[in-house]
Amino acid sequence: MFASSMSNATDMVIHDVTAALDLDGVSVAVDVGGSTGALVQELLKKSQGLTGVVLEMPHVVDSAVEAASKAGVLDRFSAVSGDFFKEVPAADLYLLKMIIHDWNDAECLTILRNCRASAKPGARAAVFDCVVGKTGEPNYGALLDMNMLVGSDGQERDFDEFDALYAKSGWRRVATKPTRSPQVIQVLEAI
């Protein structure tokens, strides 16, 4: 059920996200905690030279393989069973769609550090999350933040908080691109 809901959330941003990402120099993209892999599979359709991987829990892997087969990209796709708190596969591009907001700062640092440790030279990370605006200004992020605080250890963050996580984990934000999603999702690219 959760995988299905995440796939639906992906549908709201997938076209903006795939248009925003520059795939030059990217041969392997890993969708970290990417459910059935819809995001990386869409990128595979866009770039014939790309290999895609989704890192997910064991019970989701078969669904990801089935989805890749239906999308016609199974020949360049693999689903890896694993735990992003322990290790992630090597890649040129890490995709973290609505992952960072699920966790507290210490857990986010573990995820981002694991990506950095496995990253190929010149790799990038792309975090897709809501960015909270300034206090007192209307922003859907504040509502999402309250939801995360009630339902998990996670939170929505502002740019300074994302930058602090990046700095502590060996990344540096180099670009931010908005999407047209109802959740005001931003693409925060880091090197």
Side-chain angles (χ1 to χ4, degrees), residues 16 27 31 42 44 65 80 96 110 115 134 141 143-144 163 166:
D16 286 350
S27 61
D31 198 346
E42 191 66 25
L44 290 171
V65 169
V80 174
L96 296 109
T110 298
C115 291
K134 294 179 182 178
L143 181 60
L144 288 177
D163 289 344
Y166 281 155

Side-chain angles (χ1 to χ4, degrees), residues 10-53:
T10 298
D11 289 345
M12 290 188 280
V13 298
I14 200 160
H15 296 292
D16 286 350
V17 166
T18 55
L21 289 174
D22 177 7
L23 298 177
D24 283 345
V26 177
S27 61
V28 178
V30 173
D31 198 346
V32 179
S35 187
T36 57
L39 177 57
V40 75
Q41 291 166 22
E42 191 66 25
L43 291 175
L44 290 171
K45 291 176 191 175
K46 180 180 174 181
S47 178
Q48 295 302 312
L50 184 65
T51 299
V53 178

Side-chain angles (χ1 to χ4, degrees), residues 148-164:
M148 294 308 297
L149 292 169
V150 168
S152 72
D153 287 338
Q155 69 182 70
E156 304 303 336
R157 293 173 172 85
D158 62 23
F159 286 117
D160 290 340
E161 291 168 317
F162 276 110
D163 289 344

Side-chain angles (χ1 to χ4, degrees), residues 66-87:
E66 182 180 327
S69 180
K70 286 180 183 175
V73 295
L74 187 57
D75 60 325
R76 295 179 291 123
F77 174 85
S78 59
V80 174
S81 173
D83 180 350
F84 52 54
F85 288 115
K86 295 181 180 174
E87 183 179 31

Side-chain angles (χ1 to χ4, degrees), residues 111-179:
I111 296 166
L112 291 168
R113 284 176 178 147
N114 286 342
C115 291
R116 175 48 79 200
S118 296
K120 294 180 177 185
R124 292 178 287 143
V127 170
F128 314 97
D129 264 323
C130 177
V131 176
V132 176
K134 294 179 182 178
T135 303
E137 290 181 7
N139 183 298
Y140 190 68
L143 181 60
L144 288 177
D145 190 33
M146 289 190 319
N147 184 54
M148 294 308 297
L149 292 169
V150 168
S152 72
D153 287 338
Q155 69 182 70
E156 304 303 336
R157 293 173 172 85
D158 62 23
F159 286 117
D160 290 340
E161 291 168 317
F162 276 110
D163 289 344
L165 288 174
Y166 281 155
K168 290 178 183 174
S169 60
W171 297 97
R172 178 177 49 88
R173 181 167 53 101
V174 294
T176 304
K177 300 166 186 165
T179 69

